[in-house]
Amino acid sequence: GMKQQLVVWITGASSGMGRDLAKQYLQDGYQVVATARRHPLLEELSEHCQTEGQLLVAPADVSDEAAMNSVAQKIAQRYGRLDIVIAGAGYAVYGTFEELAVQDYRRQLEPNLFGVIVTLKAALPLLRQSHGQAAIIGSVSGHIGLPRRSAYAVSKFALRGLAESLRVEWEPY
């Protein structure tokens, strides 16, 4: 029979690198599951691609565990598999340390760090079955701290620690 199409789930698919990756994977013939909070931008992506069968638009907030688990369930029901997850959702909180409140740092970690953790947790059971791959979108700010970007840098440095730990932990899989 025909080789089953590979399925990739991308968060942050409404803009930036996530959106570019979604377009590229569609072009390469993958089934793409696109998740973001911003419905209109996702719809725009959907129209741009004009590949109904290839694209599943699944809006969700990455830090919402129930919503992300339900996207994973949808993927399992519709495709019966997941081969790649790309955790690309996030945004930047900018400001000097003095300007930013403690709450701003928490708000920055919610999507950029915990959103990635939630995404990987939701995808993991399916990835275990497919011996699939997980990718986290990092940043130069995960290596270098810059003025007015301390909150963003904190979130991206943390992601690098997560990625390095999981790379070793998940190597057998």
Side-chain angles (χ1 to χ4, degrees):
M2 255 182 63
K3 184 175 151 296
Q4 213 173 357
Q5 260 187 319
L6 296 175
V7 180
V8 58
W9 182 14
I10 302 172
T11 69
S14 62
S15 64
M17 208 178 282
R19 190 158 170 269
D20 293 343
L21 284 165
K23 287 181 181 177
Q24 189 59 58
Y25 274 105
L26 284 164
Q27 234 175 316
D28 294 346
Y30 282 72
Q31 295 283 358
V32 174
V33 181
T35 291
R37 289 171 311 165
R38 291 175 287 183
H39 305 234
L41 278 167
L42 281 174
E43 289 313 315
E44 190 270 321
L45 177 66
S46 186
E47 281 163 34
H48 170 87
C49 296
Q50 291 172 332
T51 45
E52 289 307 288
Q54 304 276 81
L55 180 69
L56 172 62
V57 170
D61 186 318
V62 287
S63 43
D64 181 340
E65 284 182 72
M68 292 297 282
N69 287 333
S70 103
V71 174
Q73 268 174 330
K74 209 178 286 186
I75 292 168
Q77 282 159 8
R78 179 148 169 181
Y79 304 110
R81 66 181 298 145
L82 175 64
D83 300 282
I84 303 169
V85 66
I86 300 174
Y91 60 84
V93 171
Y94 293 145
T96 66
F97 185 79
E98 268 182 299
E99 286 164 359
L100 295 177
V102 172
Q103 186 50 39
D104 292 316
Y105 285 83
R106 293 189 200 279
R107 184 168 63 89
Q108 178 69 99
L109 288 175
E110 203 48 56
N112 292 20
L113 176 61
F114 291 102
V116 168
I117 291 168
V118 168
T119 300
L120 296 179
K121 286 264 185 201
L124 189 56
L126 287 166
L127 291 177
R128 278 284 156 84
Q129 287 170 11
S130 68
H131 300 280
Q133 294 174 299
I136 295 170
I137 304 291
S139 168
V140 171
S141 290
H143 297 263
I144 300 164
L146 294 168
R148 298 184 48 76
R149 292 182 184 220
S150 61
Y152 187 65
V154 163
S155 73
K156 293 296 182 176
F157 268 76
L159 275 186
R160 192 152 59 93
L162 177 67
E164 287 183 10
S165 299
L166 295 182
R167 184 175 59 215
V168 179
E169 201 175 301
W170 291 356
E171 200 169 6
Y173 311 102

